[in-house]
């Protein structure tokens, strides 16, 4: 009996088993990135920079050259790579603590310089790997292990809106906030990722896609509840949508 | 090229890096090394290189990490406060085994300190600075000519052992001018090949992964043992020092860098006054020439270590000679450079005590 395989993993994934919790959306985003790398036929010249956080192993999950940066420094590492190898395609994959707390300087300046790199930013409003501490994007009132009474403006200030912050920097070529909660959202994110990489390939500047994501484990919910919570709470604070698009229709 | 050019230390070291085939520079202005950064900004575009003024030294060192991942020669220059900010990255670079060169034009510390010459970053450079079991090779030039030559050697050592190399200069070397003979231009295409491990895009080969990371303690221990084996090789092959008139000397001066150079004048003056003294000048500060110093110190009546600090290298000097003879220290700190007369006074004092 012959079997016809119609649904295969993308070539740009290494096949290593993911280390993510059930219901976590890192895996979905990984797959989308890999699909876009396949589609654009850039696997052979892509270099990825993984962050510190739950996706610290991401450089093992993609079948491309890769490294893992110090916490928050991925945009600086990627800058060094891209300046050294102008024909390469360089992307960073970063969480909210990595990008919007410890790495704020690096991301703002990489974006402002119009560094020809792409960043995928996973915002789940919590520190996952260290066990559920407050993130710069944690919502007001949200309880975490380091704001056990709920995040307050008085003590912790406001959730950081990365896209809104970056959209005013001159070097941005593509900037969008999406989710991967529904099949439609997944298709939109895939399209955004494709545009972000295209911005880099065309040398237009810095590109970033922020994906609002679930963390059922540290939110203390089951995966279904987590997607609902994301829809009702995370999306209310962080508006999904397109912020900058210098790529245009032509892909 | 064999003609002598009159040039400022910072600019001489920068030119030496370009001649060594370095085409990538990432750095942040800081006194007393800013001419280094400025020179690279002007020169690198002329030779098809890439210069970037980073937003901080934290970013600069990580740009070095990224550029070094591609196997290209890359360098940064800074001074104490900036080098402190780079220590996180130094640790990652050592762990990921990335060839790279760092120039620290040391100024007075701690904290903001001042902008005058000092050697008080010796501990930071030679004993780690960042976290974890690692070493960087540390070279201590005494003259601008030697600095020019050591910059070139620094790249070769970095390539040979996949290691960060620090050139520990000071504000004196950075700011003064001297006649220098530069080396030949190295063609960047003729430099050591790192295609076995570097990140360049996998093309048709298996992807490369470069990292200091391993979650398995047994595997991480193995990685550490590999670093240690490499350090043993470096100690064996790269330890360097200079001795001046040590054979017939009764007393031994020890100093490195600018201080080592000043001690050269002290020896002449001391011998004119009948004090038979020689000089041991470590050139590699890590690896420190322990055995060689021990040998040079043998039979002497005392060792006088002189530094532009309150005494850092003196700990290595004591490790080298042990209890076999007295080790004295003289130093000025905070950006004050000891003059030969001060050292002569110290020599006379210790000589009287010894007689």
């Amino acid at each position: 009996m012959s079997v016809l395989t119609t649904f295969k993993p993308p070539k740009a994934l290494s096949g290593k088993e993911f280390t993510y919790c059930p219901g976590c959306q890192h895996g979905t985003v990984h797959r989308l990135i890999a699909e876009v790398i396949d589609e654009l036929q850039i696997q052979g010249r892509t270099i990825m920079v993984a962050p510190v956080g739950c996706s610290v192993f991401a450089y093992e999950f993609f079948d491309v050259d890769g490294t893992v940066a110090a916490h928050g420094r991925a945009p600086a590492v990627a800058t060094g790579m891209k300046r050294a190898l102008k024909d390469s395609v360089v992307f960073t994959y970063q969480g909210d603590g990595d990008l919007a707390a410890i790495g704020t300087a690096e991301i703002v300046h990489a974006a402002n310089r119009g560094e020809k790199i792409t960043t995928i930013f996973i915002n789940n409003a919590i520190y996952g790997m260290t066990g559920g501490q407050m993130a710069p994007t944690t919502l007001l009132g949200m309880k975490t292990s380091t704001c056990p009474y709920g995040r307050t403006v008085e003590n912790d200030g406001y959730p950081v809106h990365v896209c809104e912050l970056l959209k005013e920097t001159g070097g941005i070529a593509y900037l969008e906030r999406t989710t991967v909660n529904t099949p439609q959202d997944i298709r939109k994110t895939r399209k955004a990722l494709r545009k972000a990489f295209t911005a880099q390939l065309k040398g237009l500047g810095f590109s970033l896609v922020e994906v609002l994501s679930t963390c059922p484990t540290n939110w203390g919910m089951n995966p279904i509840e987590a997607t609902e919570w994301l829809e009702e709470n995370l999306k209310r604070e962080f508006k999904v949508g397109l912020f900058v698009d210098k790529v245009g229709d032509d892909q | 090229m064999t003609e002598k050019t009159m040039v400022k230390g910072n600019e001489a070291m920068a030119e030496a890096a370009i001649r060594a085939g370095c085409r990538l520079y990432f750095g942040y202005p800081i006194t007393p090394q800013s001419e280094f950064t400025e020179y690279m900004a002007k020169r690198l575009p002329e030779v098809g290189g890439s210069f970037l003024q980073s937003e901080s030294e934290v970013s600069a060192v990580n740009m070095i990490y990224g550029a070094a991942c591609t196997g290209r020669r890359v360098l940064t220059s800074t001074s104490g406060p900036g080098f402190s900010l780079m220590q996180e990255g130094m640790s990652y670079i050592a762990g990921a085994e990335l060839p790279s060169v760092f120039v620290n034009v040391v100024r007075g510390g701690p904290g903001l300190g001042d902008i005058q010459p000092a050697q008080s970053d010796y501990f930071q450079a030679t004993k780690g600075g960042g976290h974890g079991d690692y070493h960087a090779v540390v070279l201590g030039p005494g003259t601008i000519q030697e600095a020019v030559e050591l910059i070139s050697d620094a790249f070769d050592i970095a390539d040979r052992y996949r290691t960060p190399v620090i050139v520990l200069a000071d504000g004196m070397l950075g700011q003064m001018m001297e006649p220098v003979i530069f080396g030949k231009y190295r063609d960047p295409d003729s430099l050591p090949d790192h295609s076995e491990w570097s990140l360049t895009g996998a093309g048709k080969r298996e992807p490369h992964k470069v990292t200091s990371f391993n979650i398995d303690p047994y595997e991480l221990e193995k990685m550490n043992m590999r670093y240690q084996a490499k350090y043993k090789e470096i100690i064996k092959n790269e330890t360097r020092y200079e001795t001046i008139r040590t054979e017939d000397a009764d007393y031994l001066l020890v100093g490195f860098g600018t201080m080592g150079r000043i001690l050269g004048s002290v020896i002449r003056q001391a011998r004119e006054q009948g004090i038979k003294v020689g000089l041991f000048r470590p050139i590699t500060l890590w690896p420190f020439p322990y055995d060689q110093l021990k040998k040079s110190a043998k039979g002497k009546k005392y060792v006088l270590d002189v530094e532009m600090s309150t005494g850092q290298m003196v700990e290595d000097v004591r490790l080298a000679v042990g209890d076999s003879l007295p080790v004295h220290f003289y130093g000025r700190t905070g950006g004050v450079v000891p003059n030969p007369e001060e050292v002569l006074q110290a020599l006379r004092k210790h000589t009287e005590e010894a007689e």
Side-chain angles (χ1 to χ4, degrees):
Chain A
M1 190 178 78
S2 70
V3 178
L4 180 66
T5 308
T6 55
F7 188 74
K8 293 183 211 164
K11 280 190 290 185
L13 283 181
S14 65
K16 277 214 172 124
E17 200 175 321
F18 290 160
T19 42
Y20 304 116
C21 302
C24 167
Q25 294 177 334
H26 271 305
T28 311
V29 181
H30 279 20
R31 184 184 171 103
L32 295 177
I33 295 168
E35 285 180 2
V36 168
I37 289 172
D38 283 4
E39 203 171 280
L40 295 171
Q41 298 183 324
I42 53 172
Q43 187 180 358
R45 58 185 174 119
T46 295
I47 309 174
M48 94 158 286
V49 186
V52 171
C54 286
S55 48
V56 68
F57 295 105
Y59 69 103
E60 296 277 3
F61 299 150
F62 289 87
D63 209 26
V64 299
D65 277 7
T67 188
V68 47
H71 198 23
R73 318 294 178 222
V77 168
T79 296
M81 288 172 168
K82 187 74 183 198
R83 298 268 173 151
L85 282 179
K86 295 194 165 53
D87 292 334
S88 60
V89 178
V90 182
F91 79 94
T92 74
Y93 188 98
Q94 302 175 256
D96 40 54
D98 193 83
L99 183 140
I102 198 165
T104 318
E106 285 78 7
I107 197 70
V108 168
H109 286 276
N112 193 56
R113 286 193 302 266
E115 218 54 66
K116 293 167 188 70
I117 59 172
T118 300
T119 292
I120 292 93
F121 168 41
I122 303 298
N123 178 3
N124 56 17
I126 203 157
Y127 281 64
M129 187 175 73
T130 43
Q133 295 82 14
M134 185 181 69
T137 52
T138 291
L139 304 185
L140 291 177
M142 186 174 160
K143 288 179 181 170
T144 74
S145 62
T146 51
C147 50
Y149 308 107
R151 180 177 185 156
T152 63
V153 168
E154 292 73 23
N155 201 56
D156 311 305
Y158 296 89
V160 175
H161 295 82
V162 168
C163 287
E164 287 79 354
L165 206 69
L166 292 184
K167 74 170 185 205
E168 300 302 330
T169 59
I172 291 268
Y174 192 82
L175 183 64
E176 184 165 0
R177 183 184 287 126
T178 68
T179 72
V180 287
N181 249 0
T182 68
Q184 293 93 315
D185 296 330
I186 288 172
R187 276 200 296 276
K188 271 191 196 162
T189 298
R190 194 178 188 285
K191 202 178 151 208
L193 291 169
R194 194 189 149 103
K195 278 213 161 188
F197 276 99
T198 303
Q200 179 177 174
L201 291 169
K202 289 188 165 182
L204 298 174
F206 180 82
S207 52
L208 182 143
V209 178
E210 173 177 345
V211 186
L212 302 179
S213 303
T214 56
C215 182
T217 300
N218 289 301
W219 291 356
M221 300 172 194
N222 70 37
I224 302 288
E225 289 166 353
T227 55
E228 286 164 2
W229 193 87
L230 186 151
E231 289 292 330
E232 286 158 22
N233 297 279
L234 216 51
K235 272 172 86 169
R236 189 178 302 158
E237 178 72 30
F238 301 105
K239 305 288 182 218
V240 296
L242 183 62
F243 290 84
V244 177
D245 182 2
K246 294 181 189 162
V247 183
D249 285 339
D250 174 31
Q251 301 228 336
Chain B
M1 196 196 286
T2 52
E3 80 240 35
K4 285 192 173 182
T5 323
M6 192 70 172
V7 56
K8 195 170 190 170
N10 281 327
E11 296 181 347
M13 289 189 280
E15 177 62 26
I18 286 169
R19 288 175 188 240
C22 174
R23 294 293 178 271
L24 294 161
Y25 179 95
F26 304 89
Y28 190 89
I30 182 169
T31 311
Q33 71 76 47
S34 293
E35 298 86 359
F36 201 128
T37 312
E38 289 166 351
Y39 190 88
M40 285 307 218
K42 187 163 174 280
R43 275 289 276 145
L44 275 170
E46 291 175 359
V47 293
S50 181
F51 168 89
L52 181 60
Q53 181 172 325
S54 62
E55 60 269 28
S56 68
E57 287 90 348
V58 175
S59 289
V61 72
N62 284 286
M63 290 167 184
I64 299 286
Y65 179 107
C69 276
T70 71
R72 271 44 169 191
R73 286 194 163 179
V74 60
L75 163 143
T76 190
S77 56
T78 186
S79 186
F83 198 50
S84 290
L85 283 177
M86 291 185 183
Q87 295 313 305
E88 175 197 48
M90 288 295 288
S91 170
Y92 281 74
I93 283 170
E97 299 183 87
L98 295 169
S100 44
V101 176
F102 297 79
V103 179
N104 181 359
V105 183
V106 182
R107 61 189 240 182
L112 196 52
D114 62 19
I115 55 173
Q116 309 304 325
Q119 295 184 321
S120 42
D121 295 358
Y122 178 92
F123 281 153
Q124 183 189 48
T126 60
K127 310 292 178 190
H131 55 283
D133 272 335
Y134 80 91
H135 281 291
V137 176
V138 185
L139 308 175
T143 64
I144 300 178
Q145 181 63 50
E146 190 177 37
V148 160
E149 288 159 18
L150 288 183
I151 289 272
S152 183
D153 293 349
F155 280 106
D156 290 336
I157 293 169
D159 278 333
R160 200 174 307 137
Y161 301 98
R162 285 187 62 183
T163 181
V165 179
I166 300 165
V167 176
L168 198 69
D170 61 62
M172 180 85 92
L173 275 167
Q175 291 299 319
M176 70 183 181
M177 290 182 86
E178 273 192 302
V180 169
I181 298 173
F182 284 109
K184 288 200 180 88
Y185 282 97
R186 302 268 299 268
D187 178 358
D189 292 333
S190 72
L191 296 171
D193 176 34
H194 292 305
S195 61
E196 211 173 276
W197 60 266
S198 60
L199 307 183
T200 55
K204 292 193 173 10
R205 62 162 164 76
E206 284 294 303
H208 292 160
K209 312 289 178 185
V210 168
T211 180
S212 59
F213 177 53
N214 202 311
I215 202 78
D216 178 339
Y218 296 98
E219 289 303 315
L220 187 62
E221 188 183 46
K222 274 189 209 160
M223 281 164 66
N224 269 280
M225 289 304 135
R226 198 177 67 231
Y227 309 153
Q228 294 303 320
K230 173 164 78 178
Y231 298 151
K232 266 193 176 163
E233 282 298 299
I234 293 174
I235 291 167
K236 199 175 88 194
N237 301 331
E238 306 298 340
T239 305
R240 297 187 203 181
Y241 61 97
E242 183 193 30
T243 55
I244 300 174
R245 305 185 73 173
T246 50
E247 294 78 14
D248 69 336
D250 295 326
Y251 319 106
L252 187 67
L253 283 167
V254 184
F256 75 95
T258 287
M259 202 60 243
R261 175 197 196 135
I262 294 169
L263 294 180
S265 316
V266 170
I267 290 175
R268 277 194 304 277
Q269 295 176 35
R271 284 189 175 248
E272 281 164 19
Q273 296 174 22
I275 305 170
K276 269 167 84 178
V277 65
L279 171 66
F280 187 94
R281 182 173 70 91
I283 297 172
T284 52
L285 306 176
W286 195 91
F288 188 84
Y290 292 105
D291 295 342
Q292 296 83 350
L293 174 56
K294 189 179 178 184
K295 231 169 113 186
S296 286
K298 201 174 173 200
K300 310 287 184 263
K301 290 178 181 157
Y302 67 77
V303 171
L304 174 61
D305 171 80
V306 188
E307 297 176 53
M308 286 142 62
S309 76
T310 53
Q312 300 194 6
M313 185 175 73
V314 68
E315 295 192 0
D316 285 321
V317 174
R318 289 198 174 110
L319 275 176
V321 305
D323 293 331
S324 59
L325 67 163
V327 174
H328 303 299
F329 172 76
Y330 184 78
R332 298 294 300 269
T333 193
V336 180
V337 181
N339 65 40
E341 185 45 41
E342 289 173 67
V343 183
L344 278 165
Q345 269 177 32
L347 266 177
R348 281 194 293 266
K349 186 181 128 213
H350 293 305
T351 304
E352 276 168 31
E353 285 166 7
E355 296 306 323

